[in-house]
Amino acid sequence: MADLRRAFVTGLPVKHSRSPLIHNYWLKKYNLQGSYQAVENTTDGFPQFLTNLHENGFVGGNITLPFKEVAFQKFDQSAYQLDEAARSIGAVNTVWLDDKLKLQGGNTDAYGFSANLDAIAPDWDKKKNALVLGAGGASRAVIFALLQRGFTKINLVNRTVERAQALATHFGSMVTASSWDVADSLVAEAGLIVNTTSLGMSSDGVEERFPLNLQLADSSAIATDIVYIPLETAFLKQAKNAGLVTVDGVGMLLHQAVPGFEHWFKIRPEVTSELRQLIIDDMKNS
Ligand code: ATR
């Protein structure tokens, strides 16, 4: 057989994943002999699937919900290699076999978050104070990214304040947890405001108001949402109305895919406006 490198995305369910669209776009663009496919797994079958990657003919792949944390726990308890981001975030979204066929795991969400801002609001990391809304899995990746890029004050606000406190304990003294009722008082000092909550991700199409007064923000503040359906969330709409620079979440999805593709297919792919449009068009059709 020719040198056909095969990669996957696995989850439960996996059919909604846009990763095949992204990676197959790049495979075609770079004219590579490779494949990228969606593989649905069961909770029981997933660990074995990961252990048998090479036997199943894969060079690596992406791991999506609900297996990201499972993959972390499995990696954590074994001799497998985990990168710093995966260890700190507590989730693995990308795996690959190294030259010695040893399984490696990483988390590229923090990279995707930073690379998206680098591309659209290049001076974003000159700010040192951030307000992060939400304390779920995505928030962990965002906080890791902010600390890596030199933020020294991160106010973390969450409806369930205990979850925010747990993250503050995990990440250390630069992260301060607060409940949502004080969120407005933290807006003015923030150079970067990040929404990681599912608020404004309206499934019924009804316009929702985002519960934060963005009119209080500094005029140079940047607002970014990691949610990309809809493309302009209630949070981003309000930020735009308040005159802030806004960065939507599609770019994070695209950029987080770059390191995986490079590991599997040995070419560092480019996030192009054509690829962005492909994903946006797909969102409109689904
Ligand atoms: P993810 O992994 O995408 O971050 P998650 O772990 O389910 O998903 O976290 C969702 C986040 O959205 C949480 O911060 C959640 O707040 P709670 O921890 O209090 O549940 C937040 N969220 C979801 N719906 C919300 C709502 N109606 N109001 C405020 N926050 C909400």
Side-chain angles (χ1 to χ4, degrees):
M1 196 170 65
D3 186 19
L4 180 71
R5 300 180 70 84
R6 294 172 62 227
F8 63 84
V9 55
T10 189
L12 181 66
V14 75
K15 64 175 188 287
H16 303 297
S17 172
R18 291 199 165 76
S19 292
L21 205 53
I22 298 170
H23 290 287
N24 284 310
Y25 165 86
W26 282 329
L27 283 170
K28 196 164 165 216
K29 180 177 159 78
Y30 298 108
N31 200 18
L32 296 175
Q33 293 293 313
S35 75
Y36 185 97
Q37 67 193 89
V39 178
E40 191 150 292
N41 255 300
T42 60
T43 304
D44 287 344
F46 173 71
Q48 193 70 10
F49 173 78
L50 209 51
T51 306
N52 292 346
L53 279 199
H54 180 60
E55 289 75 8
N56 292 335
F58 289 113
V59 294
N62 287 124
I63 297 169
T64 186
L65 298 175
F67 300 133
K68 286 181 176 195
E69 281 84 10
V70 179
F72 167 72
Q73 285 148 10
K74 178 180 166 53
F75 276 115
D76 210 31
Q77 292 161 15
S78 70
Y80 295 143
Q81 201 71 37
L82 265 190
D83 73 9
E84 189 198 346
R87 283 200 306 272
S88 181
I89 296 165
V92 174
N93 75 343
T94 304
V95 293
W96 64 98
L97 295 168
D98 69 11
D99 295 345
K100 298 191 176 88
L101 298 182
K102 192 173 153 118
L103 194 56
Q104 310 276 325
N107 190 307
T108 64
D109 286 335
Y111 166 81
F113 175 79
S114 298
N116 184 34
L117 285 166
D118 284 340
I120 297 176
D123 285 341
W124 72 279
D125 59 352
K126 294 212 169 65
K127 320 264 182 196
K128 296 297 165 217
N129 182 317
L131 172 58
V132 177
L133 311 163
S139 177
R140 293 174 83 97
V142 167
I143 294 169
F144 178 80
L146 296 178
L147 291 172
Q148 271 213 323
R149 297 295 286 261
F151 279 72
T152 50
K153 178 90 206 271
I154 300 169
N155 281 308
L156 177 61
V157 164
N158 199 44
R159 176 179 61 180
T160 313
V161 72
E162 291 78 12
R163 283 185 95 188
Q165 275 155 354
L167 283 199
T169 303
H170 176 73
F171 284 107
S173 59
M174 290 185 194
V175 181
T176 305
S178 301
S179 59
W180 204 286
D181 51 323
V182 299
D184 279 349
S185 70
L186 301 169
V187 169
E189 66 184 81
L192 177 72
I193 306 174
V194 188
N195 179 42
T196 76
T197 74
S198 43
L199 276 167
M201 202 178 161
S202 171
S203 53
D204 55 10
V206 176
E207 202 70 10
E208 282 180 48
R209 207 193 76 79
F210 195 87
L212 187 70
N213 187 354
L214 289 163
Q215 297 290 343
L216 299 170
D218 187 271
S219 60
S220 71
I222 299 166
T224 186
D225 203 324
I226 64 145
V227 170
Y228 55 88
I229 301 172
L231 197 54
E232 189 172 68
T233 58
F235 169 77
L236 288 179
K237 205 168 276 182
Q238 274 171 229
K240 203 175 264 181
N241 287 341
L244 309 187
V245 172
T246 59
V247 181
D248 69 48
V250 171
M252 178 176 170
L253 170 74
L254 303 176
H255 284 281
Q256 65 76 30
V258 168
F261 190 92
E262 188 176 19
H263 281 303
W264 312 318
F265 302 115
K266 310 299 175 195
I267 281 183
R268 191 165 182 85
E270 202 188 339
V271 173
T272 59
S273 52
E274 185 186 40
L275 174 59
R276 180 181 154 87
Q277 198 54 50
L278 185 73
I279 300 301
I280 292 171
D281 290 346
D282 184 67
M283 278 157 45
K284 281 184 200 143
N285 295 332
S286 59

